[in-house]
Amino acid sequence: MALVARLWRFLHLGRGTVPGPRLLMGAPGSRGRCGLGRLPGFEVVSQAAVVHATAKVEEILEQADYLYESGDTEKLYQLLTSYKESEDAELLWRLARASRDIAQLSRTSEEEKKRLVYEALEYAKRALEKNESSFAAHKWYAICISDVGDYEGFKVKIANAYIIKEHFEKAIELNPKDATSIHLMGIWCYTFAEMPWYQRKIAKMLFATPPSSTYEEALSYFHRAEQGPTFGVISSRWPFLMAQIWVDPNFYSKNLLLLGKTYLKIQNKKLAAFWLLKARDYPAHTEEDKQIQTEAAQLLTSFSVKN
């Protein structure tokens, strides 16, 4: 039931950033003057230092994004940990992502993985503290809380689910075009829609109103992350789907697979087949894509045989 088990590999999902100043120092006129007062020429020096600091952060972020796109996980982590004391939110959420990326490597020991998971959460938390208007900071904070839940037990995991949902929703509010935040919100809904009855019963004993969702809600998010209309109103509760503006077509093979699997859950085999075929035929760029192709093909075979 762990939400993190359903987040799969979406480390490439936090690419966008929120425009804004990236400063490692205080602005002119702040306490960053170090008690020098208004010495002649100090304001000019201070402003020049801020510009230089901003340019340096931009340079680091550019290099980090290049390494990320190149898939050079370890070099990226080494680069960003050199600046782990930074006060820049854009750098910090990237460091959270890089820490998590290293944790997910198959050669990472269980002990090291746990350390990195908690480290990633700390970086994400600091990123959010530095800039609450960063959608990526909200997204990675939610992701990292979910990861930590694997080490905290069922009660904490359920309690954290409320926080995770809140930050995914905030990420979507801040950037409605970020397909991956929308996709992750869909996973949250799917996870609680399929929660086994015994876990639901335990959750109800622990919380008066435990987290809950429906497959229809999950579908609404998975569709929002794609481009193009749905094939009819999913239910009377979600008529807005017909007029929704979608975000990013075929951005992620897992989203296609989950559309197919969710339609299977509500017994709509025609639409399930449509999306599973798209997932099966999705170009395999990664090992995960290959796994998705296999799962989609197996699901297509299983319910076509029954027919």
Side-chain angles (χ1 to χ4, degrees), residues 69-200:
E69 293 296 332
S70 303
D72 206 332
T73 307
E74 290 174 334
K75 279 189 181 178
L76 173 60
Y77 180 72
Q78 289 168 8
L79 168 70
L80 292 176
T81 49
S82 301
Y83 302 96
K84 63 183 180 181
E85 301 305 323
S86 171
E87 299 296 306
D88 187 86
E90 297 298 308
L91 196 152
L92 288 168
W93 72 253
R94 283 172 171 81
L95 182 50
R97 182 180 64 182
S99 300
R100 186 181 186 278
D101 208 349
I102 292 289
Q104 298 298 312
L105 295 176
S106 58
R107 60 180 173 273
T108 303
S109 68
E110 281 304 312
E111 184 181 350
E112 183 68 2
K113 179 178 179 178
K114 183 177 179 180
R115 183 189 69 78
L116 286 163
V117 161
Y118 280 91
E119 181 181 293
L121 177 59
E122 201 53 42
Y123 294 136
K125 183 180 178 182
R126 283 174 54 202
L128 198 56
E129 287 170 351
K130 298 303 174 187
N131 185 4
E132 290 189 353
S133 296
S134 167
F135 84 91
H138 281 280
K139 174 165 63 178
W140 284 97
Y141 183 62
I143 290 167
C144 291
I145 289 177
S146 177
D147 286 344
V148 165
D150 279 358
Y151 302 98
E152 300 286 337
F154 183 74
K155 183 175 181 179
V156 173
K157 195 176 295 185
I158 294 295
N160 284 347
Y162 297 99
I163 302 170
I164 291 166
K165 182 182 182 184
E166 177 188 337
H167 286 282
F168 280 149
E169 288 176 335
K170 187 63 178 178
I172 295 168
E173 178 189 328
L174 289 167
N175 185 359
K177 293 184 179 180
D178 181 43
T180 58
S181 293
I182 298 168
H183 167 78
L184 293 172
M185 193 60 238
I187 290 178
W188 189 98
C189 293
Y190 187 95
T191 299
F192 285 100
E194 73 162 3
M195 181 190 285
W197 67 267
Y198 62 90
Q199 288 186 342
R200 207 180 296 276

Side-chain angles (χ1 to χ4, degrees), residues 11 22 51 65 119 131 150 170 173 207 213 234 243 252:
L11 300 177
R22 299 183 176 118
V51 170
D65 289 344
E119 181 181 293
N131 185 4
D150 279 358
K170 187 63 178 178
E173 178 189 328
F207 302 92
S213 190
I234 291 174
Y252 190 26

Side-chain angles (χ1 to χ4, degrees), residues 30-43:
S30 72
R31 294 180 182 179
R33 293 179 180 180
C34 302
L36 292 177
R38 294 183 178 274
L39 294 178
F42 178 77
E43 290 294 340

